[in-house]
Amino acid sequence: MGEVELSCLAYVKMYLHACLFPRCSVNGLLLSSSPAGGAVCVTDCVPLLHTHLPLAPITQLALTQVDVWCAQTQQRIVGYYQANACVSDSSPTPCALKIADKIAEQCNNAVLLMIDGGKMSPDYRVPPIVMYERKDTRWTLKDKHTIMLRQWEETRDIASQLLDSGDHSLLVDFDSHLDDITRDWTNQKLNAKIAELASPANGNV
Amino acid sequence: CYIFQKGCGRKDCHHILNSSPSFDNWNVLIIVFTEMRDKLRKWREDNHRNSEQIVDVGEELINEHASKLGDDIWIIYEQVMIAALDCSRDDLAWTCLQELKRQFPGSQRVKRLAGMRLEALEKYEDASKQYDSILQDDPTNTAARKRKISILKAQGKSAEAIRELNEYLEQFVGDQEAWHELSELYINEHDYGKAAFCLEELMMTNPHNHLYCEQYAEVKYTQGGLENLELSRKYFAQALKLNNRNMRALFGLYMVSSHI
């Protein structure tokens, strides 16, 4: 299908989400602030769950709340990501396919992204992600060459920096928000930190 | 920092004094040490899996304050070893294991820890043999049986793990932790009916636990159909009755009510 671009912000938060809960499967939604049509630009993500991914009520609740927030902030839900607890198996689970199907109903070129835990070593060179797109009714592997991450090295370094400094604990997913309702699942604080690290003033283009 | 080392920059360093050595320094030293030991005890009692913190505090305690710990040191070695395995700190885990082996030669409990280290190194066959040898001497050793099931889970063999866990529970019906683990395994296999059964067992023996009620309600909701939704509503409400700050139960109640 088309090209997909993954922003620094989206990648870093997904990565930190997986690092924050290394013993659980985690998932989340991919958002875009660009208009529909043409290449899919994933500009942000919302980390959702780290417990009981297949159960319906909280997933439905989260989808609804994120939908509303997106409408208010001119964003769209364009995809879904998941990192499996079992590092050796990074294939999409039935619940991943189900949620991705639901998203695809609203968004034509939705993407399903699996984080490959096995490739997340400290000195990994390529993004540890595998992307799927919808062809007919099945999710098929996307051609690696249609996936773009601008300034990959800088993005990777920002993620490592935040991990080393312990700032990944700032990340709030929907599950954590339900445990403590005052915590912000839109992660404004963390977004600001990432933006600061990514800004030209820091020598990153 | 005066207690640990100059300019240690530790976040939880409680030192106050910067002057030359005096009797007061010793008091501060002792206060810091007891705080660390108490923290570890609390985490042990609450069964927290905050492994990075345990390694942080525990390693310091073992290296700097071993003499003051008395007999506590053995249980701390165990706690720190398990946390170290969780953080891929095999060096620390090995040190702890050696100390425990030396103090308790031939102990089943230490054998199990050695098995866990093999698991962490992904040497599952060797780990399994270790647990088998424990079970040969003591067929009722529940810890070893549960570790064998964990190995199956780690290898992604869910169906086998479920089968073994069911067999285990036929013998050890009262093992709450095992029932909960089984419910999680069933949820991941999308076998909601059986997951519900496990949660029913847990609710029977723990009627005041709001978390079990709420999880049961979530499973029923996921199963769908009017009967299940009505049960779901009942149990979300029950969870709220037991703990009116359970947000999941509150949202769940709202969502299920809007479906019925």
Side-chain angles (χ1 to χ4, degrees):
Chain A
M1 259 191 192
E3 287 198 335
V4 177
E5 193 182 319
L6 193 58
S7 76
C8 171
L9 184 67
Y11 175 81
V12 171
K13 284 203 292 192
M14 271 195 311
Y15 179 85
L16 293 183
H17 191 207
C19 293
L20 191 55
F21 302 105
R23 300 141 198 147
C24 314
S25 294
V26 297
N27 68 5
L29 299 172
L30 302 172
L31 311 179
S32 174
S33 52
S34 336
V40 176
C41 260
V42 178
T43 50
D44 197 359
C45 74
V46 175
L48 289 186
L49 308 176
H50 57 269
T51 54
H52 299 150
L53 271 61
L55 293 182
I58 306 301
T59 304
Q60 285 182 3
L61 172 71
L63 275 166
T64 314
Q65 289 212 0
V66 175
D67 226 1
V68 170
W69 182 64
C70 281
Q72 294 168 343
T73 52
Q74 282 86 48
Q75 295 181 87
R76 304 173 294 131
I77 300 178
V78 296
Y80 169 85
Y81 76 83
Q82 183 169 309
N84 291 336
C86 197
V87 177
S88 53
D89 179 14
S90 65
S91 53
T93 57
C95 97
L97 297 171
K98 223 189 211 167
I99 300 176
D101 277 340
K102 238 195 154 59
I103 295 172
E105 280 172 21
Q106 307 286 334
C107 169
N108 266 338
N109 30 13
V111 290
L112 165 57
L113 195 159
M114 296 300 295
I115 298 177
D116 189 345
K119 301 210 166 75
M120 277 171 78
S121 55
D123 53 353
Y124 59 106
R125 291 235 185 86
V126 290
I129 60 179
V130 183
M131 260 202 216
Y132 297 81
E133 62 187 356
R134 204 139 183 224
K135 279 213 172 96
D136 304 320
T137 50
R138 298 186 61 231
W139 289 93
T140 52
L141 218 50
K142 212 167 155 54
D143 179 7
K144 271 191 270 235
H145 298 108
T146 57
I147 305 169
M148 275 205 296
L149 274 107
R150 292 191 204 277
Q151 288 108 43
W152 159 240
E153 318 245 298
E154 286 83 358
T155 300
R156 184 193 59 192
D157 293 342
I158 292 172
S160 304
Q161 219 177 313
L162 289 168
L163 195 57
D164 289 338
S165 63
D167 281 330
H168 63 301
S169 55
L170 286 174
L171 186 106
V172 180
D173 68 359
F174 209 79
D175 255 342
S176 313
H177 166 72
L178 289 175
D179 289 337
D180 175 358
I181 209 96
T182 59
R183 300 189 75 193
D184 166 30
W185 55 260
T186 66
N187 287 292
Q188 299 304 323
K189 259 202 191 137
L190 189 59
N191 286 356
K193 261 215 153 79
I194 296 172
E196 198 187 299
L197 289 173
S199 77
N202 274 326
N204 297 317
V205 176
Chain B
C1 164
Y2 204 82
I3 307 302
F4 299 107
Q5 61 219 35
K6 280 245 153 57
C8 81
R10 286 171 53 94
K11 286 187 284 199
D12 57 346
C13 180
H14 298 281
H15 77 286
I16 330 147
L17 308 162
N18 260 320
S19 56
S20 54
S22 71
F23 187 64
D24 287 350
N25 271 8
W26 259 117
N27 283 343
V28 182
L29 194 75
I30 290 170
I31 290 170
V32 174
F33 152 74
T34 43
E35 271 195 44
M36 290 167 84
R37 189 195 54 195
D38 293 345
K39 263 193 201 170
L40 278 183
R41 183 187 308 131
K42 179 155 202 322
W43 292 333
R44 210 160 50 231
E45 285 167 9
D46 293 345
N47 210 4
H48 271 171
R49 198 174 169 176
N50 52 334
S51 300
E52 286 91 355
Q53 281 181 301
I54 293 175
V55 162
D56 219 18
V57 175
E59 192 172 21
E60 186 86 46
L61 214 55
I62 290 171
N63 290 339
E64 312 286 331
H65 304 279
S67 50
K68 293 192 218 54
L69 286 167
D71 275 335
D72 267 355
I73 196 165
W74 308 114
I75 201 156
I76 288 177
Y77 272 132
E78 183 184 42
Q79 182 183 13
V80 174
M81 183 193 163
I82 295 176
L85 291 177
D86 228 3
C87 300
S88 297
R89 285 286 311 274
D90 191 47
D91 57 318
L92 181 58
W94 181 250
T95 310
C96 296
L97 185 60
Q98 295 310 99
E99 293 295 322
L100 287 165
K101 272 189 178 161
R102 213 188 326 248
Q103 180 71 8
F104 306 102
S107 148
Q108 304 287 44
R109 190 161 159 175
V110 177
K111 260 191 174 170
R112 167 192 159 235
L113 290 174
M116 284 176 81
R117 180 177 166 270
L118 291 167
E119 280 187 68
L121 296 170
E122 294 185 88
K123 297 188 176 157
Y124 296 125
E125 286 226 14
D126 293 339
S128 214
K129 287 204 188 110
Q130 182 84 341
Y131 300 133
D132 282 335
S133 94
I134 297 177
L135 287 167
Q136 240 179 2
D137 293 338
D138 176 14
T140 64
N141 190 306
T142 56
R145 276 185 81 165
K146 289 200 274 192
R147 286 317 319 162
K148 288 193 73 176
I149 294 170
S150 303
I151 291 177
L152 291 170
K153 190 175 165 189
Q155 294 174 310
K157 299 180 179 168
S158 321
E160 281 183 57
I162 287 175
R163 194 173 47 237
E164 295 285 325
L165 196 42
N166 267 301
E167 274 184 39
Y168 170 85
L169 279 165
E170 277 172 29
Q171 255 190 286
F172 301 98
V173 171
D175 191 332
Q176 317 275 300
E177 171 185 80
W179 279 113
H180 198 250
E181 183 63 42
L182 188 56
S183 79
E184 303 262 337
L185 287 172
Y186 277 132
I187 287 172
N188 283 327
E189 295 301 301
H190 303 275
D191 197 338
Y192 302 119
K194 300 217 178 87
F197 178 79
C198 299
L199 288 164
E200 282 161 10
E201 286 285 330
L202 286 166
M203 288 195 295
M204 263 199 317
T205 47
N206 302 274
H208 299 295
N209 186 317
H210 64 106
L211 294 171
Y212 294 150
C213 284
E214 182 258 305
Q215 281 178 26
Y216 181 73
E218 281 195 54
V219 170
K220 285 288 147 191
Y221 181 109
T222 310
Q223 280 182 289
L226 189 57
E227 223 177 276
N228 287 324
L229 287 180
E230 293 194 339
L231 267 174
S232 173
R233 175 167 62 183
K234 177 171 165 196
Y235 281 92
F236 275 131
Q238 178 69 1
L240 271 174
K241 211 163 101 177
L242 294 168
N243 177 357
N244 63 1
R245 307 186 76 179
N246 186 328
M247 281 287 114
R248 278 186 179 77
L250 183 59
F251 277 117
L253 181 61
Y254 175 78
M255 295 199 62
V256 76
S257 304
S258 57
H259 273 294
I260 296 182

